[in-house]
């Protein structure tokens, strides 16, 4: 049977996490359909149809899905689910919001945040803030799965799936969109960046983060933060990396003034190379990093930035 | 308005757990247990609604072993009016817990269910959404701000990229994120008073819900270990290592 992937998008662009979710769906071994539900989202449907390995795109272009509210989106997925052996979405705040609703209405379990696929019914997922990896078997007739995007490589392009229109499902009318406040950033998206420069309480202030910014400029890096830095108001909350924030797995993660609590480590431990810059040589991050530099970040960061500039020229 | 707050007893967040050597599970015997931190935030918010005169009754409920009474006493010390423990020795998947909570909602008819966004042991982040789906209510997940409107609750949610605000008709289910509030420090007199508050214990079976599910954990393992790191002396050495050894810049 076929697997359904629910696409994530802003009605104009297909999110990178969906390319990664399709890659996980292909690993299940069946044909893959992608559902694109939104308003004026034709371009997203075309982008999904171009993904390698996708058989069909189901396009539902309707004002009901203008704000991607969980209740109507879940209704639509439920109306389609019986044709599929599995339904997948990325384990983003959106996927985490509507997918358990789908699972409960189908009265099946959900497998959250999978990081590995051993077979059509056997999955690997982290528990206890990533301190333990669990192997779970799900034998429900329809498997509802959210996928940790950083654990799967994105699929390429070159596919030519057919695009079919599907009707909107009844809106249950349980919730209403009021407003949204998005953090503006010209940097690469945190979850997809090749390099992440992340700051913690040790950075000291919002001004201190400007030092991280200038280093990130040299590396074309995204900026991340620990919960302590977010709670102190140095940066907005969507910068947070960790168990309760975003999970990242860049090639290079530079942790500046971050002690390295397990909740933070859970969000970045799969980074290829971890660098710790910290004054405290006893900090767990210093112990765990691939390269640790013990020193005052206010001296180290400008020197590092200048060094990178010199390397480039 | 009546508020129902489901709470879970979990290994304390400060404790580092390890898999059993045979991989059969995580050994949690003799570890410090506490109320799931996100549930403390839900409890705090419910009690604040009570103190503001919005909520008239706060009921805490837990599904778990007899020892989960301690967790419910903590909820009562926060300021819950009464507590209900549905006893079971089994560790149940969220799909089953949501069936049981839907039955509790049927008995209690709350106007609002406030609960943590995820438990820090299984990290599932499912139960609130599943409960909302089963009872046919709206959901406000990952709440960082909650306001009562006219017959509705206005929830600001933490999402990737910023925040979104939704209005939900009542009754509704709201799940709490870390920034919603700072749970209070429990004072001794309140802990003493909590001992006298009603705590009803019943077997989970009394709800008559199906406790089977299609999911099971077959084994656990340590995450792959990283190779030991090195200490570099200065910025020059760091740049050299990143360029020539790790080849990431």
């Amino acid at each position: 049977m076929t697997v359904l992937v629910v696409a994530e998008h802003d009605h104009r662009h297909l999110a990178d996490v969906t390319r990664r979710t399709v890659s996980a769906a292909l690993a299940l071994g069946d044909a893959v359909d992608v559902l694109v539900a939104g308003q004026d989202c034709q371009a997203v449907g075309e982008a999904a149809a171009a993904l390698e390995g996708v058989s069909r795109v189901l396009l539902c272009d309707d004002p009901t899905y203008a704000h991607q509210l969980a209740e109507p989106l879940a209704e639509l997925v439920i109306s389609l689910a019986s044709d599929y052996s599995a339904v997948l979405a990325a384990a983003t705040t959106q996927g985490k919001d509507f997918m358990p609703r789908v699972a409960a209405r189908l009265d099946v379990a959900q497998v959250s945040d999978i990081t590995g696929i051993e077979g059509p019914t056997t999955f690997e997922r982290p528990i206890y803030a990533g301190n333990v990896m669990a192997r779970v078997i799900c034998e429900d007739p329809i498997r509802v799965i959210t996928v940790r995007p950083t654990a799967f490589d994105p699929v390429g392009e070159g596919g030519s799936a057919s695009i079919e229109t599907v009707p909107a499902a009844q809106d249950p009318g349980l919730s209403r969109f009021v407003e949204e406040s998005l953090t503006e950033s010209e940097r690469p998206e945190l979850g997809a960046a090749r390099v992440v420069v992340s700051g913690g309480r040790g950075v000291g202030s919002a001004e201190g983060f400007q030092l991280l910014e200038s280093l990130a400029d040299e590396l074309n890096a995204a900026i991340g933060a620990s919960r302590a830095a977010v709670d102190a108001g140095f940066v907005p909350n969507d910068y947070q990396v960790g168990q309760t924030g975003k999970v990242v797995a860049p090639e290079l993660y530079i942790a500046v003034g971050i002690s390295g609590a397990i909740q933070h480590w859970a969000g970045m431990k799969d980074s290829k190379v971890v660098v710790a810059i910290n004054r405290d040589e006893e900090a767990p991050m210093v112990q765990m990093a691939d390269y640790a530099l013990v020193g005052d970040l206010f001296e180290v960061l400008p020197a590092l930035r200048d060094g990178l500039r010199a390397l480039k020229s | 308005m009546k508020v129902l707050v489901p709470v879970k007893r979990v290994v304390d967040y400060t404790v580092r757990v390890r898999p059993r050597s045979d991989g059969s599970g995580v050994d949690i015997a003799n570890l410090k247990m506490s109320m799931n931190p996100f549930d403390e935030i839900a409890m705090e918010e419910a009690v604040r609604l009570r103190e503001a005169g919005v909520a008239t009754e706060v009921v805490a409920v837990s599904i778990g072993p007899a020892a989960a009474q301690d967790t419910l006493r903590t909820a009562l010390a926060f300021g819950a009016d009464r507590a209900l423990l549905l006893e079971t020795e089994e560790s149940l998947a969220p799909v089953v817990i949501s069936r049981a909570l839907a039955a509790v909602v049927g008995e209690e008819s709350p106007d609002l269910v406030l609960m943590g966004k995820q438990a820090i042991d299984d990290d599932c982040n499912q139960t609130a959404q599943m409960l909302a789906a089963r009872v046919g209510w709206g959901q406000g997940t990952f709440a960082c701000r909650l306001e009562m409107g006219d017959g509705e609750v206005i929830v600001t949610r933490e999402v990737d990229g910023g925040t979104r605000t939704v209005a939900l008709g009542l009754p509704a289910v709201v799940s709490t994120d870390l920034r919603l509030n700072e749970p209070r420090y429990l004072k001794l007199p309140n802990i003493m008073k909590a001992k006298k508050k009603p705590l009803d214990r019943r077997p989970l079976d009394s709800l008559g819900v199906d406790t089977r599910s299609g999911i099971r954990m077959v084994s656990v393992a340590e995450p792959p270990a990283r190779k030991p790191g090195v200490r570099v002396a200065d910025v020059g050495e760091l740049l050299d290592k990143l360029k020539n050894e790790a080849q990431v810049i």
Side-chain angles (χ1 to χ4, degrees), chain A residues 67 71 93 96-97 107 110 112 125 129 133 135 137 139 176 178-179 181 183 243 269 271 290-292, chain B residues 122-124 126 129 134 137 139 141 152 160-161 163-165 167 214 216 218-219 221 226 230 232 245:
Chain A
H67 298 294
E71 299 89 348
T93 49
K96 290 172 179 173
D97 190 30
D107 201 24
Q110 174 179 300
S112 289
R125 61 178 300 266
M133 299 306 294
R135 181 197 280 162
I137 290 185
E139 286 167 332
R176 167 169 70 78
V178 178
E179 63 179 356
S181 162
T183 308
Q243 185 189 15
K269 69 183 175 59
S271 307
D290 299 296
Y291 303 108
Chain B
D122 61 21
D123 286 335
C124 277
Q126 301 172 6
Q129 298 90 315
R134 282 187 191 279
W137 297 355
Q139 65 184 48
T141 51
E152 58 182 15
D160 297 332
T163 60
R164 304 182 110 218
T165 305
R216 66 199 152 89
V218 284
S219 65
R226 297 184 75 92
V230 295
V232 294
E245 192 174 275

Side-chain angles (χ1 to χ4, degrees), chain B residues 165-183:
Chain B
T165 305
V166 293
L168 311 166
L170 292 175
V173 178
V174 173
S175 80
T176 59
D177 216 321
L178 281 169
R179 267 166 289 276
L180 181 61
N181 62 45
E182 193 144 327

Side-chain angles (χ1 to χ4, degrees), chain A residues 8 66-71 91-94 96-98 100-105 107-113 122 125-140 174-184 189 194-195 219 227 230-231 237-238 240 243-246 251-252 254 262-263 265 268-275 277 281 286-294 299-301 303-308 311, chain B residues 10-11 13-19 25-26 28 38 41 93-95 98-99 117-134 136-142 144 152 154-171 177-179 181-182 210 213-224 226-236 238-243 245-249:
Chain A
E8 185 159 331
H67 298 294
Q68 305 282 297
L69 292 170
E71 299 89 348
T92 55
T93 49
Q94 187 188 326
K96 290 172 179 173
D97 190 30
F98 77 89
R101 237 184 133 90
V102 172
R105 285 280 303 285
D107 201 24
V108 298
Q110 174 179 300
V111 196
S112 289
D113 218 11
T122 310
R125 61 178 300 266
I127 56 175
Y128 286 96
N131 282 309
V132 177
M133 299 306 294
R135 181 197 280 162
V136 297
I137 290 185
C138 181
E139 286 167 332
D140 276 318
L174 297 167
S175 64
R176 167 169 70 78
F177 174 81
V178 178
E179 63 179 356
E180 124 180 297
S181 162
L182 299 181
T183 308
E184 286 181 29
E189 202 257 312
R194 199 185 71 84
V195 180
L219 291 161
R227 185 180 175 211
V230 171
D231 283 352
N237 63 34
D238 50 307
Q240 189 187 321
Q243 185 189 15
T244 56
K246 283 203 181 77
E251 284 185 40
L252 174 59
I254 304 180
I262 55 171
Q263 290 82 7
W265 187 246
M268 41 63 69
K269 69 183 175 59
D270 294 322
S271 307
K272 188 169 159 237
V273 175
V274 176
V275 171
I277 297 169
E281 60 181 303
V286 171
Q287 310 290 326
M288 296 184 291
D290 299 296
Y291 303 108
L293 179 52
V294 175
E299 290 162 19
V300 171
L301 292 189
L304 195 53
R305 179 198 57 203
D306 296 344
L308 282 165
L311 270 182
Chain B
V10 298
V11 176
Y13 75 98
T14 57
V15 177
R16 172 99 194 245
V17 300
R18 292 209 157 75
V26 175
I28 60 167
F38 291 101
I41 294 168
V95 63
S98 71
R99 274 183 211 132
K117 77 165 181 181
Q118 77 190 60
I120 59 165
D121 50 2
D122 61 21
D123 286 335
C124 277
N125 195 332
Q126 301 172 6
T127 309
Q129 298 90 315
M130 286 183 159
L131 172 62
R134 282 187 191 279
W137 297 355
Q139 65 184 48
T141 51
F142 327 143
C144 59
E152 58 182 15
I154 296 146
V155 180
T156 301
R157 309 176 48 234
E158 286 190 23
V159 297
D160 297 332
T163 60
R164 304 182 110 218
T165 305
V166 293
L168 311 166
L170 292 175
D177 216 321
L178 281 169
R179 267 166 289 276
N181 62 45
E182 193 144 327
D210 183 357
S213 81
I215 192 169
R216 66 199 152 89
M217 193 169 80
V218 284
S219 65
V220 297
E222 293 266 6
R226 297 184 75 92
K227 62 174 173 45
V230 295
R231 195 73 64 83
V232 294
D234 53 35
V235 168
L238 177 61
L239 285 167
D240 176 62
K241 295 269 191 199
L242 291 177
K243 187 170 173 59
E245 192 174 275
Q247 300 180 347
V248 287
I249 57 170

Side-chain angles (χ1 to χ4, degrees), chain A residues 111-278:
Chain A
V111 196
S112 289
D113 218 11
I114 61 162
T115 52
I117 295 172
E118 286 181 31
T121 58
T122 310
F123 310 97
E124 178 197 66
R125 61 178 300 266
I127 56 175
Y128 286 96
N131 282 309
V132 177
M133 299 306 294
R135 181 197 280 162
V136 297
I137 290 185
C138 181
E139 286 167 332
D140 276 318
I142 301 173
R143 286 171 292 286
V144 175
I145 298 164
T146 61
V147 175
R148 179 172 289 195
T150 57
F152 296 87
D153 293 326
V155 291
E157 298 193 351
S160 55
S162 60
I163 300 180
E164 294 170 26
T165 304
V166 294
Q170 176 95 35
D171 181 354
L174 297 167
S175 64
R176 167 169 70 78
F177 174 81
V178 178
E179 63 179 356
E180 124 180 297
S181 162
L182 299 181
T183 308
E184 286 181 29
S185 172
E186 290 172 8
R187 299 192 172 281
E189 202 257 312
L190 183 54
R194 199 185 71 84
V195 180
V196 173
V197 179
S198 217
R201 198 195 302 274
V203 176
S205 64
E207 292 72 40
F209 262 83
Q210 285 167 7
L211 277 177
L212 272 73
E213 299 264 353
S214 69
L215 177 61
D217 285 340
E218 292 301 320
L219 291 161
N220 188 30
I223 302 268
S226 68
R227 185 180 175 211
V230 171
D231 283 352
F234 302 166
V235 288
N237 63 34
D238 50 307
Y239 282 50
Q240 189 187 321
V241 170
Q243 185 189 15
T244 56
K246 283 203 181 77
V247 176
V248 300
E251 284 185 40
L252 174 59
Y253 188 88
I254 304 180
V256 182
I258 296 178
S259 65
I262 55 171
Q263 290 82 7
H264 186 79
W265 187 246
M268 41 63 69
K269 69 183 175 59
D270 294 322
S271 307
K272 188 169 159 237
V273 175
V274 176
V275 171
I277 297 169
N278 208 304

Side-chain angles (χ1 to χ4, degrees), chain B residues 57-105:
Chain B
E57 189 183 24
V58 175
V59 182
V61 57
S62 194
I63 299 167
Q69 282 180 86
D70 296 349
T71 309
L72 287 170
R73 289 287 169 204
T74 303
L76 293 166
F78 262 101
D81 297 286
R82 59 189 176 85
L84 170 62
L85 173 60
L86 294 155
E87 281 189 50
T88 173
E89 292 302 319
E90 276 182 273
S91 173
L92 299 167
V95 63
V96 177
I97 298 293
S98 71
R99 274 183 211 132
L101 288 177
V104 173
V105 165

